[in-house]
Amino acid sequence: MLPWPGKNFIQVYLRRNPDLYGPFWICTTLVFAIAISGNISNFLVNFGKPNHKYTPEFRKVTIAATTIFSYAWLMPLALWGFLLWRNNKILNLVSYSFMEIVCVYGYSLAIYIPAVVLWILPYEWLRWCSIVVALLLSCSVLELTFWPAVRDDNPRVIISVMSAIVVFNALLAVGCSPVALLERIGLPFR
């Protein structure tokens, strides 16, 4: 999924055959990439410290799974409901099915997988750069895909919908690493 202006991901790729296979496995891979990268990063940061005994944190899988799958299903559900409601109020809006919206959200998370794998490296600037780049690419795909669905609506609605897409995607990007963020500011996550 690359954000090409003028190319709508749903119209070019999904209209003929939306599926849940790709989004499900992307979300699952992202969950395990977050958990594994977080554990390896924690191990490497504390490697060689005499008082540290490594124990894998399996809670990261549960937290990551809850966050990722909630985002990948609840955001499309909310957006689909809103677009359906607006389409009933204003005719001539582009409409997408729930399955198409779920596919777009699921596929837009694919860029986070390599970004999360880069967390293994012990460079804080690289971690943040990878997340920011992933956020920008993911938001671009979502914005370009959903722009046709809202562009003929009221300007306030357009700004609200597009801002909500960006804000929730940014919350996901920052929230992908709550363990690292909490440990960096000195709060224990256990």
Side-chain angles (χ1 to χ4, degrees), residues 15 22 37 51 68-69 93 96 98-99 103-104 106 109 112 128 142 151 166 168-169 188:
R15 270 291 148 108
S37 296
N51 296 340
I68 299 299
F69 280 100
L93 291 180
Y96 298 133
F98 176 66
M99 182 82 119
C103 285
V104 171
L109 294 175
Y112 285 106
W128 283 107
L142 292 172
R151 73 172 161 223
V166 171
F168 283 107
N169 203 335

Side-chain angles (χ1 to χ4, degrees), residues 37-161:
S37 296
N39 280 318
I40 292 173
S41 176
N42 187 22
F43 174 77
L44 292 176
V45 165
N46 295 307
F47 184 71
K49 292 181 181 176
N51 296 340
H52 181 70
K53 181 183 178 226
Y54 174 73
T55 55
E57 298 178 36
F58 294 108
R59 286 182 23 197
K60 290 181 181 178
V61 175
T62 306
I63 293 168
T66 303
T67 304
I68 299 299
F69 280 100
S70 294
Y71 174 81
W73 283 94
L74 295 179
M75 283 303 302
L77 181 63
L79 185 60
W80 174 73
F82 181 78
L83 291 177
L84 192 63
W85 174 69
R86 289 306 290 177
N87 201 15
N88 287 337
K89 286 188 144 252
I90 302 171
L91 299 177
N92 299 329
L93 291 180
V94 175
S95 65
Y96 298 133
S97 71
F98 176 66
M99 182 82 119
E100 290 169 336
I101 296 173
V102 168
C103 285
V104 171
Y105 267 86
Y107 283 116
S108 74
L109 294 175
I111 190 62
Y112 285 106
I113 295 170
V116 166
V117 171
L118 288 176
W119 289 353
I120 293 172
L121 301 174
Y123 305 109
E124 194 69 27
W125 63 269
L126 181 63
R127 291 175 183 164
W128 283 107
C129 286
S130 68
I131 285 298
V132 168
V133 167
L135 172 65
L136 291 174
L137 288 172
S138 180
C139 280
S140 298
V141 167
L142 292 172
E143 293 287 320
L144 289 172
T145 300
F146 294 114
W147 172 250
V150 297
R151 73 172 161 223
D152 295 330
D153 208 333
N154 183 337
R156 281 193 207 169
V157 173
I158 295 170
I159 291 170
S160 299
V161 169

